[in-house]
Amino acid sequence: MSITERWNAYWFRAGSARQLAIFRLCIVAAQLLSLIRMDLSRRLEMLTPALDAYEPLPILRVLTLAPSGLPALADPGAVALHWALLVVGLLAFVGYRTRASLLAFAWGGLVLHGYLYSFGSFHHAEALILIATFALAWVPAGRELSVDAVLTRRRSGVSPVARDVPIWPLLLTRWMLALVYFSAFASKLGNGGLQWANGSTLQYIVYVKGAALDRPLGVWLSAQHDLCVWLSWGTLLFEGAFVVALLWRRSLPVFLFLGVLFHLSAELTMGASFLEFVALYVAFLGPGESTQARRVVGPTPFPGRAALEGAQQSPTGVRIAQN
Amino acid sequence: MDLSFKRSGSTEPIHRRRRLARAACSALILTCLGIQALVVVRVFHPPRALAELAFLRRLPAPSLWPFIDYPMFSEAHVVGERVERVYLVIEWETGEVEPHYPEQRRGGFDVEAMIRECRAGQEDAAMQRLARFEGQRSARANRVCVERVWLQLEREGFVPGVPECLMTLANPDQVVGR
């Protein structure tokens, strides 16, 4: 088997449309929730004194096709983008014109957050889920659990093909997650060494963040030295070994359970909100392949042919499902 | 190159289109994983730099956003380290003494902003903020103290030291620095 064949067999294996649809629902819902919770007016108010520090990120230059970058938006501009994003996100969630709405949602999210992060400081939670949303726009994620699917059924009388769809965005998300966790692991070892797991480090972090964000659980945890030692080692092991979840599928439930626990406890003790990552875990669920194991499919690259992709026209002109 | 996609008839254009699409998706996958891997590698330098990888540090974070590394909370801390905690102590005319911490926002009273204003010498802004809070509470403050306490990390958690008053705002609009 050549390298190309191996590559195709891994990345372009067939999966189920339902799996893609569930992933779409989860990651779009997580982002919508985050957008609703976002106190944009307060964030813009905090950015106003930093207007001189505004330096558009390269991604903004690329996405807005403006070589000099997007000019600093007036507040109403950012608020309008926020509202437009909510509307497009809702369309992506219900699966209306799924590919186009997913692409617009990813574009808008990258522009809005890219803009907010062009003032020098930035957060980490949104980056990965935005990449996943962008990737999802290139596969038929609206073939099930969507308005598109209902409309197709109504128009043609048959359901869109639900099997043998490309699921490479799910695989990409899995590997990106592994890289991200490895980044956190390597940073801890690189900057703090094994001393990072001495317990005092975690006590320090949960107190400083917990007290600043009014998290009583964090303040309580900061007084539990032995527990902090165990949790520190657990964190290092989880982040460093996460890649095992990809390579040895039997370990997956353990890693996902630990991951949910990890992010939930980080949120409760120190306000580190990475619940977007928990939504991304849905990329791991399900069989990952159709019943016809490892059947390679061709990706469907161009947005706009969403629901009818995979359906073929019969000699009589009626659209029928491929399988 | 013929990119037409004829669903009926010859399957040749379909295969060609699929090959093209697969190549485009492969490029996207490789780009994402490649940039993310590059960003992750950067963590191997600061502060323990590998000289041969120094060229990767030319782009400061978050230049490659949304491809970023995740070095949050990666510094180690040890017993004996100290943390500064600054808060307000308000003495009401009723005699009640009440501490207000930055993380608490009671009725829109932004303690953090008031501390910032006091420490920056913007007493007028701080007094105006206090006046609004007094209005909400329907009470008058006799004295407001910006207090600082050093907390020292011990095995049992953070142990507070002796609080010290950094600045006093006295009613009606007198500011006394210490």
Side-chain angles (χ1 to χ4, degrees):
Chain A
M1 212 180 195
S2 71
I3 292 177
T4 314
E5 284 168 339
R6 278 174 192 232
W7 173 271
N8 288 337
Y10 181 79
W11 289 103
F12 302 117
R13 68 177 76 166
S16 78
R18 177 151 299 215
Q19 199 182 348
L20 284 181
I22 292 172
F23 186 59
R24 183 195 88 232
L25 289 171
C26 288
I27 64 171
V28 173
Q31 287 172 92
L32 282 174
L33 205 64
S34 160
L35 282 170
I36 292 166
R37 284 169 59 187
M38 177 194 272
D39 190 351
L40 187 65
S41 51
R42 182 168 159 76
R43 280 179 81 165
L44 291 171
E45 187 187 313
M46 286 167 72
L47 291 179
T48 309
L51 222 53
D52 291 341
Y54 179 67
E55 174 68 37
L57 290 176
I59 187 87
L60 269 186
R61 296 169 203 256
V62 173
L63 293 176
T64 57
L65 301 176
S68 56
L70 195 69
L73 289 173
D75 287 1
V79 173
L81 182 60
H82 183 249
W83 277 104
L85 208 51
L86 282 171
V87 172
V88 174
L90 208 60
L91 292 179
F93 182 78
V94 299
Y96 180 71
R97 306 254 171 187
T98 311
R99 282 186 170 183
S101 53
L102 271 174
L103 200 61
F105 191 47
W107 181 88
L110 287 166
V111 169
L112 180 68
H113 288 101
Y115 172 73
L116 293 173
Y117 298 158
S118 292
F119 291 84
S121 63
F122 64 104
H123 298 289
H124 287 76
E126 304 89 2
L128 195 49
I129 203 164
L130 285 170
I131 295 170
T133 310
F134 179 76
L136 196 63
W138 298 90
V139 292
R143 238 178 237 182
E144 282 212 7
L145 309 177
S146 68
V147 174
D148 283 344
V150 174
L151 290 178
T152 306
R153 256 196 305 275
R154 254 193 215 158
R155 256 186 241 134
S156 60
V158 293
S159 300
V161 177
R163 288 194 309 159
D164 290 353
V165 292
I167 55 162
W168 61 265
L170 305 183
L171 303 173
L172 177 65
T173 303
R174 295 175 191 179
W175 281 102
M176 291 291 281
L177 264 172
L179 275 171
V180 161
Y181 282 128
F182 182 75
S183 169
F185 167 75
S187 294
K188 289 180 179 77
L189 284 193
N191 292 341
L194 286 179
Q195 202 177 30
W196 191 89
N198 61 9
S200 302
T201 300
L202 192 57
Q203 282 179 282
Y204 184 98
I205 295 167
V206 291
Y207 180 81
V208 169
K209 297 295 289 182
L213 296 171
D214 201 12
R215 306 279 166 157
L217 199 60
V219 176
W220 172 82
L221 184 60
S222 71
Q224 316 300 320
H225 179 80
D226 291 337
L227 183 56
C228 282
V229 172
W230 282 101
L231 290 175
S232 304
W233 280 107
T235 301
L236 282 181
L237 280 173
F238 169 75
E239 290 179 342
F242 190 82
V243 70
V244 174
L246 273 83
L247 304 174
W248 186 36
R249 206 164 166 80
R250 280 189 183 180
S251 66
L252 190 59
V254 177
F255 276 98
L256 295 191
F257 175 72
L258 289 176
V260 172
L261 217 59
F262 173 65
H263 288 299
L264 207 60
S265 57
E267 163 87 39
L268 291 173
T269 56
M270 48 198 274
S273 185
F274 274 80
L275 296 181
E276 284 89 346
F277 277 39
V278 177
L280 288 173
Y281 284 176
V282 177
F284 288 92
L285 301 182
E289 294 166 69
S290 69
T291 45
Q292 298 160 336
R294 296 263 170 177
R295 183 168 164 187
V296 179
V297 293
T300 46
F302 304 112
R305 301 193 185 205
L308 295 178
E309 204 66 67
Q312 279 194 336
Q313 202 146 16
S314 75
T316 56
V318 178
R319 286 188 182 278
I320 55 169
Q322 269 180 340
N323 48 350
Chain B
M1 189 188 288
D2 178 17
L3 294 178
S4 63
F5 180 44
K6 295 173 184 169
R7 287 173 190 271
S8 56
S10 166
T11 57
E12 182 59 27
I14 299 175
H15 291 149
R16 200 173 289 173
R17 179 175 171 269
R18 283 192 168 176
R19 269 204 299 275
L20 193 71
R22 199 175 286 170
C25 292
S26 296
L28 184 65
I29 293 166
L30 281 171
T31 305
C32 287
L33 292 176
I35 299 179
Q36 187 62 44
L38 189 79
V39 169
V40 168
V41 167
R42 295 181 60 216
V43 302
F44 286 116
H45 359 163
R48 295 176 187 180
L50 293 176
E52 62 271 25
L53 292 176
F55 74 97
L56 292 173
R57 296 182 67 185
R58 292 215 176 139
L59 292 174
S63 300
L64 291 172
W65 189 89
F67 300 96
I68 42 176
D69 59 349
Y70 292 74
M72 305 86 77
F73 314 117
S74 58
E75 296 291 334
H77 298 277
V78 291
V79 167
E81 281 187 45
R82 295 200 308 165
V83 174
E84 181 193 49
R85 186 138 164 79
V86 181
Y87 52 96
L88 298 176
V89 177
I90 301 179
E91 188 184 310
W92 297 99
E93 60 184 357
T94 55
E96 188 187 357
V97 177
E98 200 176 54
H100 288 262
Y101 298 97
E103 65 272 18
Q104 295 165 348
R105 284 171 169 260
R106 289 179 193 159
F109 180 44
D110 194 338
V111 178
E112 192 177 1
M114 183 155 168
I115 292 172
R116 203 168 44 239
E117 286 159 359
C118 287
R119 297 187 96 175
Q122 299 165 348
E123 297 88 4
D124 290 346
M127 287 305 289
Q128 282 171 16
R129 196 177 291 278
L130 178 65
R132 284 198 294 275
F133 187 47
E134 285 176 329
Q136 284 166 11
R137 289 284 292 257
S138 306
R140 254 176 102 69
N142 276 342
R143 184 173 166 272
V144 179
C145 180
V146 180
E147 252 183 35
R148 173 173 69 184
V149 65
W150 286 99
L151 302 155
Q152 184 157 317
L153 179 58
E154 300 293 346
R155 201 184 144 85
E156 301 76 28
F158 278 89
V159 179
V162 181
E164 55 177 324
C165 189
L166 297 176
M167 175 183 271
T168 304
L169 293 172
N171 197 17
D173 55 0
Q174 184 189 0
V175 179
V176 183
R178 282 200 188 178

